[in-house]
Amino acid sequence: MKYQNNSVICLFLCACLAQSAHSTEELNVYSARKEAYIKPLLDQFAEANKVTVNLVTSKADALIQRLKSEAENTPADVLITVDAGRLHRAKQAQLLQAVGRARFAQSAPAQYMDPEGYWFGLSLRARPLVYHPQRVKPQQLSSYQALANQAWSKRICIRSSNNIYNQSLVAAMIAHHGIDNTQQWANRLVKNLARNPQGGDRDQIKAVVAGQCDVAVVNTYYLAKMMAGSAEEKAVADQVRVFWANQDTHGTHVNVSGIAVTKYASNPALAIKLIEFLYTDQAQSWYGDVNMEYPVRSGIVTHPTLISWGEFKADPLALDQLGIFNSDAVKIMDIAGWK
Ligand code: FE
């Protein structure tokens, strides 16, 4: 009888423990974004759904490596990166699962999602030209291709070839113009560089203002953040202008920050719910207002700086192409001597 009582107590306690362990659903996020640019959204999601979201932040390549080594034991349900190239890399390494892109067909344009539903772009990262208005007239600018013309000899600044944003830009050029054309373009572009590639996108903007070069290729959110930054940074940023490249042809190069459900996610349903949340008007406008990126959903840009740069034609290229042509792009840059 005593034994039976103990069993009953144990059953009761065990049930309670199990109950409390499952009272909050958990979602584990591996993210290559700076924490400030994703955590507030994850917190909103956690609060609204009464779930716990655990965030691990690291470099994309390190997270991909971690997913590989953890394999089916990974705690990660989702992977977030700041470029399509690495999402494609994770897909190729069989670290992701397809979740059916039909359910997000209304959420964002098709080119910003993996064709097989392995990853989903959340925010656009436009990479136009910036120029110094005292040394360059906008009529002199047109396209990325034209930066390789003789007229721009020693006048261009761009960061190094190991940067994924440039690799993706070159991959897009390959997708549009082929390997041979892109190689010739890269060879001539490198000859037009005002200095050896160095620093990040903000440094290219500073170099334009310092007179080291006249035109640079940068992601707009860096410029927007400088404009919203210290008085010193704002004074620099205010001196350059944005030029939307390739408006007469295929449009300005864009990349995405994006999300994927991992192959061995413990809670894929909650991961999908997070993706749905990140496509809501509320989350999409946050990307513009706080991160100063462009929402992938059109018609909800509200940040005055973004509005001041006007609307632009974004390259409609399917962004899996950035991943597909990444290794060719790296090869081309290497051959061109793009440091
Ligand atoms: Fe960046």
Side-chain angles (χ1 to χ4, degrees):
M1 189 65 196
K2 197 177 172 191
Y3 178 80
Q4 206 174 4
N5 274 348
N6 280 348
S7 302
V8 169
I9 290 165
C10 175
L11 275 174
F12 178 73
L13 276 176
C14 293
C16 284
L17 284 171
Q19 178 72 29
S20 75
H22 290 284
S23 63
T24 319
E25 265 191 286
E26 285 197 20
L27 187 74
N28 292 313
V29 176
Y30 280 5
S31 166
R33 292 218 74 145
K34 284 204 179 96
E35 201 175 294
Y37 300 144
I38 192 67
K39 190 166 185 301
L41 281 179
L42 298 178
D43 288 347
Q44 282 177 32
F45 174 77
E47 173 69 28
N49 293 282
K50 302 279 171 266
V51 295
T52 302
V53 177
N54 303 309
L55 175 63
V56 172
T57 301
S58 188
K59 298 266 184 213
D61 289 335
L63 292 173
I64 288 172
Q65 198 47 51
R66 192 161 161 179
L67 285 172
K68 274 184 196 164
S69 53
E70 289 169 346
E72 62 267 40
N73 297 318
T74 188
D77 296 292
V78 305
L79 172 68
I80 290 174
T81 77
V82 290
D83 69 280
R86 286 213 178 76
L87 287 167
H88 180 81
R89 214 174 275 176
K91 175 190 170 187
Q92 292 300 98
Q94 302 191 344
L95 301 171
L96 308 179
Q97 62 174 286
V99 299
R101 74 182 230 166
R103 83 172 73 218
F104 297 112
Q106 303 304 314
S107 303
Q111 67 265 31
Y112 303 141
M113 300 173 185
D114 177 66
E116 295 167 329
Y118 280 87
W119 53 260
F120 299 88
L122 298 170
S123 62
L124 280 186
R125 305 156 74 81
R127 196 161 181 75
L129 316 180
V130 295
Y131 64 96
H132 198 291
Q134 284 168 8
R135 284 174 256 128
V136 178
K137 296 279 159 273
Q139 305 87 284
Q140 294 172 276
L141 295 166
S142 58
S143 63
Y144 301 108
Q145 292 93 315
L147 296 181
N149 294 347
Q150 181 64 36
W152 298 106
S153 179
K154 309 283 178 221
R155 297 174 72 187
I156 311 290
C157 277
I158 193 163
R159 69 198 284 182
S160 75
S161 60
N162 64 25
N163 170 255
I164 191 86
Y165 305 151
N166 285 338
Q167 292 173 10
S168 290
L169 171 66
V170 175
M173 300 283 284
I174 297 171
H176 285 297
H177 310 292
I179 299 254
D180 292 345
N181 272 327
T182 304
Q183 183 69 65
Q184 286 163 31
W185 168 77
N187 294 349
R188 289 188 289 130
L189 179 73
V190 167
K191 292 206 176 78
N192 283 352
L193 298 187
R195 58 177 192 172
N196 278 337
Q198 55 199 268
D201 281 6
R202 289 171 195 250
D203 297 302
Q204 314 312 313
I205 296 166
K206 288 173 188 167
V208 168
V209 172
Q212 290 181 281
C213 42
D214 296 333
V215 179
V217 183
V218 301
N219 286 0
T220 49
Y221 56 85
Y222 288 110
L223 183 59
K225 281 171 188 164
M226 286 173 76
M227 290 168 79
S230 67
E232 198 185 336
E233 283 219 306
K234 181 170 167 31
V236 171
D238 282 346
Q239 292 180 60
V240 300
R241 300 288 176 270
V242 170
F243 183 87
W244 296 112
N246 293 74
Q247 294 302 282
D248 298 332
T249 58
H250 51 64
T252 297
H253 172 67
V254 291
N255 204 330
V256 285
S257 80
I259 188 166
V261 180
T262 62
K263 183 173 182 183
Y264 297 109
S266 313
N267 203 341
L270 192 57
I272 289 166
K273 215 169 173 183
L274 173 64
I275 301 176
E276 285 166 353
F277 168 75
L278 294 172
Y279 277 133
T280 60
D281 283 1
Q282 173 198 356
Q284 284 287 296
S285 60
W286 189 92
Y287 277 113
D289 291 341
V290 180
N291 287 8
M292 299 184 210
E293 299 170 308
Y294 288 90
V296 283
R297 297 189 43 199
S298 54
I300 42 180
V301 170
T302 52
H303 195 284
T305 299
L306 273 53
I307 289 171
S308 77
W309 291 332
E311 293 193 5
F312 66 98
K313 177 166 125 190
D315 187 347
L317 185 73
L319 293 191
D320 66 323
Q321 301 294 300
L322 307 185
I324 289 167
F325 288 117
N326 177 271
S327 56
D328 289 315
V330 170
K331 228 176 278 169
I332 281 175
M333 294 161 103
D334 198 39
I335 290 169
W338 188 329
K339 296 208 169 103

